[in-house]
Amino acid sequence: MFRNSRFAAATGLLLATIGVAIGADAKLKGKITIDGSSTVEPITSAVSEEFSIANTGVQAPVGISGTGGGFKRFVAGETDISNASRPIKKEEAEACAKNGVEFVEVPVAYDGLTLVVNSKNNWVDTLTLAEVKKIYLADGGVKLWSDIRPEWPKTAIKVFSPGTDSGTFDYFKEVVADKGGSIRSDMQVSEDDNVLVTGVSNDPNAIGFFGCAYYFENKDKLKALKIDAGKGAIAPTHETIENGTYAPFSRPLFIYVNKKSASRPEVKAFVEFYLAQAPELVEEVKYVKLPSELYARAATNFQNLKTGTQFLNAKGEKVHGPLSEIYK
């Protein structure tokens, strides 16, 4: 929760870039409709809570139907803002165009998709990417922990995963499954990451994955696994997530803003507030903040209502690379 002095503090370059003063506006009224990623929800909910203190006439509840579920509503024009733990897909962008929904893409934080086991699990600290694939792929053939390494217990692995509407699931599948590969179907799934935390923390033989904040908040119940993708075992930390060495599971998080909605004063003020306060709030809810220059670029894009995604090229092909390069 903000203290009054911190709430009133200037944010330097970012505030100068977006030209907004942090303070109450008693004239702002209305409801902002927000839905989407459960990974991004803690950040947006923190922003909503602080914004409502300064702007009591505005309601901004945050839904958690998953990135895919949120985009289904967003492309139909049902929501003002969509939380997303992955960039918008080609078919979703095309649906927006078909329905006349223009949008502004706003990166807000870094995340490290974190694989976790129960804190009582005393046999696994590191998994190679190949071993992760054995556990999660439909043709991986793994049922027991000993199927991965013979010295591990001959006990059944209970596998937890975000639901298929989750951007976290989409990102994980893209990284883990080869083209045409599929994720195993006998998993415990939920769009709510808190449910996954509870599931893994209640079963010593469980494994699951979700955004890093849910691990950082539950370190007493869970153990994060180091991942070896060929360059040594790397643990998810703020430093390794920000610099990209926690590969291939570091990723940016976003909000998508309906351009038409952005013309409403309360939505415009909310997004400006979001970008101004994100560096501090992102850290408070245990994610990794972007460099200040990226927030400034995102703020400029929003002020100019620069529409479309920078993760698809003119041919509709995915653009890959560090966020700092994509958001030049």
Side-chain angles (χ1 to χ4, degrees):
M1 182 66 65
F2 273 132
R3 299 292 184 266
N4 289 338
S5 60
R6 185 176 63 181
F7 177 77
T11 55
L13 174 62
L14 180 59
L15 287 180
T17 301
I18 65 176
V20 61
I22 301 300
D25 187 343
K27 296 179 181 179
L28 288 178
K29 295 181 180 180
K31 182 176 181 179
I32 303 170
T33 308
I34 308 170
D35 200 357
S37 168
S38 62
T39 301
V40 184
E41 179 273 331
I43 305 171
T44 305
S45 287
V47 172
S48 177
E49 180 181 350
E50 296 300 332
F51 184 79
S52 67
I53 293 173
N55 302 278
T56 57
V58 179
Q59 296 179 335
V62 183
I64 50 169
S65 63
T67 297
F71 273 134
K72 287 176 184 176
R73 297 189 65 197
F74 187 74
V75 304
E78 296 177 5
T79 55
D80 302 309
I81 296 172
S82 200
N83 292 328
S85 60
R86 58 159 172 81
I88 194 168
K89 294 180 178 179
K90 178 183 178 181
E91 56 267 30
E92 292 163 341
E94 289 173 343
C96 281
K98 180 180 178 181
N99 295 330
V101 175
E102 294 184 277
F103 61 85
V104 182
E105 181 178 71
V106 183
V108 295
Y110 285 126
D111 177 33
L113 191 154
T114 305
L115 283 101
V116 298
V117 293
N118 188 282
S119 60
K120 295 179 181 178
N121 182 316
N122 60 5
W123 59 88
V124 55
D125 295 302
T126 298
L127 287 174
T128 66
L129 189 56
E131 289 170 337
V132 174
K133 292 182 178 185
K134 286 182 180 179
I135 295 171
Y136 276 94
L137 291 182
D139 60 358
V142 168
K143 294 184 178 180
L144 308 178
W145 281 105
S146 57
D147 291 335
I148 307 171
R149 299 185 193 180
E151 67 270 24
W152 288 352
K154 293 182 178 180
T155 53
I157 304 174
K158 189 168 184 180
V159 183
F160 287 83
S161 168
T164 55
D165 266 342
S166 167
T168 302
F169 178 87
D170 286 340
Y171 185 86
F172 183 83
K173 182 179 179 181
E174 183 177 336
V175 169
V176 171
D178 296 325
K179 189 173 183 180
S182 59
I183 301 296
R184 63 193 292 171
S185 59
D186 59 335
M187 303 184 297
Q188 302 292 314
V189 302
S190 176
E191 301 294 345
D192 187 344
D193 291 329
N194 290 300
V195 173
L196 303 178
V197 168
T198 299
V200 177
S201 64
N202 285 340
D203 191 330
N205 290 297
I207 186 171
F209 65 91
F210 34 70
C212 65
Y214 289 88
Y215 162 66
F216 292 143
E217 286 284 356
N218 294 278
K219 283 185 175 181
D220 57 327
K221 304 175 185 176
L222 303 169
K223 178 168 68 171
L225 300 180
K226 297 176 183 177
I227 302 300
D228 187 345
K231 296 183 178 180
I234 305 294
T237 67
H238 280 65
E239 181 181 1
T240 62
I241 291 168
E242 182 176 352
N243 65 26
T245 57
Y246 181 63
F249 292 125
S250 296
R251 58 176 181 165
L253 303 176
F254 306 87
I255 60 172
Y256 286 78
V257 186
N258 184 307
K259 180 182 177 182
K260 183 177 179 181
S261 300
S263 66
R264 294 177 5 227
E266 71 275 16
V267 176
K268 183 175 185 291
F270 181 86
V271 177
E272 289 174 341
F273 183 92
Y274 200 127
L275 286 167
Q277 298 302 320
E280 194 156 15
L281 282 178
V282 163
E283 295 285 305
E284 283 196 4
V285 298
K286 308 300 183 183
Y287 284 107
V288 179
K289 66 184 178 182
L290 304 178
S292 58
E293 60 268 23
L294 284 182
Y295 283 118
R297 293 176 200 170
T300 298
N301 284 350
F302 179 69
Q303 287 296 107
N304 294 334
L305 294 179
K306 179 184 170 95
T307 58
T309 176
Q310 297 192 55
F311 287 84
L312 294 171
N313 63 23
K315 296 180 180 180
E317 300 165 334
K318 283 186 179 180
V319 175
H320 298 280
L323 190 63
S324 58
E325 292 297 318
I326 292 174
Y327 268 76
K328 283 184 176 179

